[in-house]
Amino acid sequence: MIKLLENVVFGLRFFILAGLLVFTVISGFYATQLRMDAGFDKQLPIGHEYIQTFQEYRDQLFGSNRIIVVMEANEGTIWTKEFFKVYKDLTDDIFFLPGVSRHTVTSLWTPNTRYIEITEDGISADDVISGKVTAETMTPQALANVQNNVIRGGFVGRLVADDFHSAMVVAELQDYDPSTQARLDYFDLAAKLESQIRQKYEDENHTIRIIGFAKLIGDIADGAQTVVVFFFVAFVLTALAVYLYSRSILLTAATLFASLTSVVWQFGLLNLLGYGLDPLAVLVPFLVFAIGVSHGVQQINVVTAEISGGANAEQAARTAFSRLFIPGSMALITTLVGFATLYLIPVPMIRELAITASIGVILKVATNLVMLPLIVSYLKFDDRFVARVKHSRAVRLKVMSSLGFVANRKVAPFLLAGATVLFVIAVYQGMNRHVGALHAGAPELRPDARYNVDSTEIANSYALGLNVLIAVVETPPDACVQYPYVEFLNRFSWHMQNVPDITLVVSLPFAIKGSSAGWNEGNLKWKDIPRNRPALAQASNTVPGASALYNQTCTILPHYFYLRDAKATTIKAAVAAIEDFRDNNQMEGVTIRLASGNMGVQAAVNQEITETELPMIMWVYAVIIALVALTYRDWRAVIACCLPLTFGTFFGYWFMEVLQIGLTVATLPVMVLAVGIGVDYAYYIYNRVPYYLGEGLNISDAFRQSLLEAGMATFFTALTLAVGVSTWAFSDLKFQADMGLLLSFMFMVNMIMALTVLPALAVTLEMFFPRSRPVAKMKNAPVH
């Protein structure tokens, strides 16, 4: 079958290359139109319990997609006329930003910021800043009144910093611009937050701090633009390494051209399918390029071996095509399934990433297994090149021959035992890995990034921040004026108030207690929930910001829990506390539903990754087992190819635990890719073993010959790719740096597993479970 395919492909090589050239030009045209694309809704796991709650009450609850802007006085406090004048202009500018839900804009200047006070004359309620006061008429007495109102209204730590050093503006965003009904352009909004807010108002007197999804995705996009630099550096290093291996500019150019061509096709097809490139998936094209280089080097390895043996370019290309089409196809199918399994995670952003990567991988069959050999068949090689190739191959064969000891029957069992001990340790350490962020601030950015600095400063000065987890409590009508229900929810609020890393609980029961004390001259003895229905109604009706704490019929009573940070452990502890109370405290008619708020969304994403990680890996291994079993018809081959891959995967988990890298949307594709690349190495190493066994060699000699043929190419590919991606460690984006370190480690560890554990395992299996057919005595087979 392969011979027939070879004759057809090479018989039509001119027409195939011409057709691919036309397709490349067309794809290139559409590829230039590909744009970055981001959206808040793309992060929402489809069908998850928390997201169903979030979507159901999306128009009634806020906190999932907000921006927070803090204006900080560099000297002194905010209680100056000059500060409030600038603060008023800042509030107005935020009000008119695209995508801002204007009725949610909240600052000391907005009319939804009110205080309520009980005096000897009755109830005193008013705006914190009276409607009669303007920025121009702000007198010292007016400032004193505002300060008094802020303190009485409980806005310290919520809209004003604890030390009166800064003031906050909060606004909710809609995923669609209400003025145009078009999808909100988060990159444009992020740019406006810089140009129209920070640059406009930040000067020697004031510092502006901005946090929120829109600002974060903008900073990630800005940092992602530097990926071009790292891509270029990695490309140059890869090109240099391929040249050192092939000793030919033409072979180097052909290899890189084939790998880049599939990236161009990938971008063009994505644009035609209506997809953009998410900032968190910006490294996927390089991963596709790396896969191409991996397969390209194997092609070049066979080509140079054939040319050094006297074959011409076309003969060498034909041999490379026929010898590597099966293992190359198996490897690409496995990698394709690995990326496709990401689609099991019902998060639109991850599914887009799965589609992006899968398209790139499937195209590799055409570019690296077909197009590259066809291009090579047209090249010309002189005698000087043949001499260089023979010399370099002699050096490589000498090096790889020294590695043949791993297939020695006396060494293999001990080598396998040592690897098994390390594997057990890796499994134990890998069990401690976390899903989600492990550090405070945005995990995609470095700790010293401006966004994370702003986030830390706001968290230190305010109890109110971005990290809000909302539990929606559904009750019978008028529950807010019925003591049993309010008392039950008061216990729920108190339970959550005592959870570590929850900085603030905002709920109706807590607000009622404060209001009740106010109705009784502020006496703390009355800071409790009134048992009398009229008194309870009186306390409920005077709660500041009551619209956010219950609806008109008192059937929805949301509880807001503000977390200290967005670490996976913090979110998990808060969710566990809610579930614990819900499971152990039941009340008829009351349902506590998780979850809304941006931390509810993140909790849903973390849970989906946790639940789908194992099925994804199992699907990949199922495909590997099926392909190996169908190709080699030997259960020993299945174990020999899969077990070293399992070793490498758990070593990767151990590495993540040591470097405190969480399993996130950014790192999950790396682990999937690591399985794909690792099985590439296994396929190429094992592929020639059945051939040599058929020639009469025993298992040890068969592996020695296979290592001589494919071992150096495997070692070289892993080293080249590891060096290339290691440059990402210097990126401004932390997730990109983490991916670079993780990829470098996985490239190298999977290569070591393929070159050492794979032969040792196969030889050991042969020792304990020998094949039924006799094997000829050891003899030296020619190396082609």
Side-chain angles (χ1 to χ4, degrees), residues 256-268:
L256 298 179
F257 176 77
S259 297
L260 287 175
T261 298
S262 64
V263 176
V264 174
W265 294 359
Q266 178 188 25
F267 283 174

Side-chain angles (χ1 to χ4, degrees), residues 594-608:
L594 284 164
S596 189
N598 62 329
M599 292 296 97
V601 172
Q602 189 59 56
V605 173
N606 291 347
Q607 288 185 13
E608 289 291 356

Side-chain angles (χ1 to χ4, degrees), residues 513-542:
K513 290 197 292 185
S515 178
S516 177
W519 279 101
N520 293 276
E521 300 178 349
N523 193 322
L524 293 180
K525 292 182 178 180
W526 289 93
K527 192 174 183 179
D528 202 352
I529 299 172
R531 296 173 181 267
N532 179 275
R533 183 185 178 106
L536 186 55
Q538 174 182 261
S540 300
N541 290 333
T542 55

Side-chain angles (χ1 to χ4, degrees), residues 12 80 126 179 203 232 307 322 329 375 434 436 446 470 500 553 601 620 649-650 665 702 713 718 722 731 741 758:
L12 300 173
T80 65
D126 199 356
S179 61
D203 52 29
F232 178 76
I307 290 176
S322 60
S329 298
I375 292 175
H434 293 280
R446 292 189 179 275
I470 304 175
T553 58
V601 172
V620 174
T649 300
F650 277 93
V665 173
S731 172
L741 292 173
L758 172 58

Side-chain angles (χ1 to χ4, degrees), residues 580-624:
D580 176 64
F581 183 88
R582 184 173 62 180
D583 294 341
N584 296 301
N585 298 270
Q586 305 289 331
M587 185 172 189
E588 185 177 354
V590 177
T591 302
I592 300 176
R593 293 181 58 180
L594 284 164
S596 189
N598 62 329
M599 292 296 97
V601 172
Q602 189 59 56
V605 173
N606 291 347
Q607 288 185 13
E608 289 291 356
I609 292 177
T610 302
E611 293 173 2
T612 55
E613 181 196 9
L614 181 59
M616 287 166 52
I617 297 297
M618 295 307 295
W619 271 109
V620 174
Y621 275 92
V623 171
I624 295 173

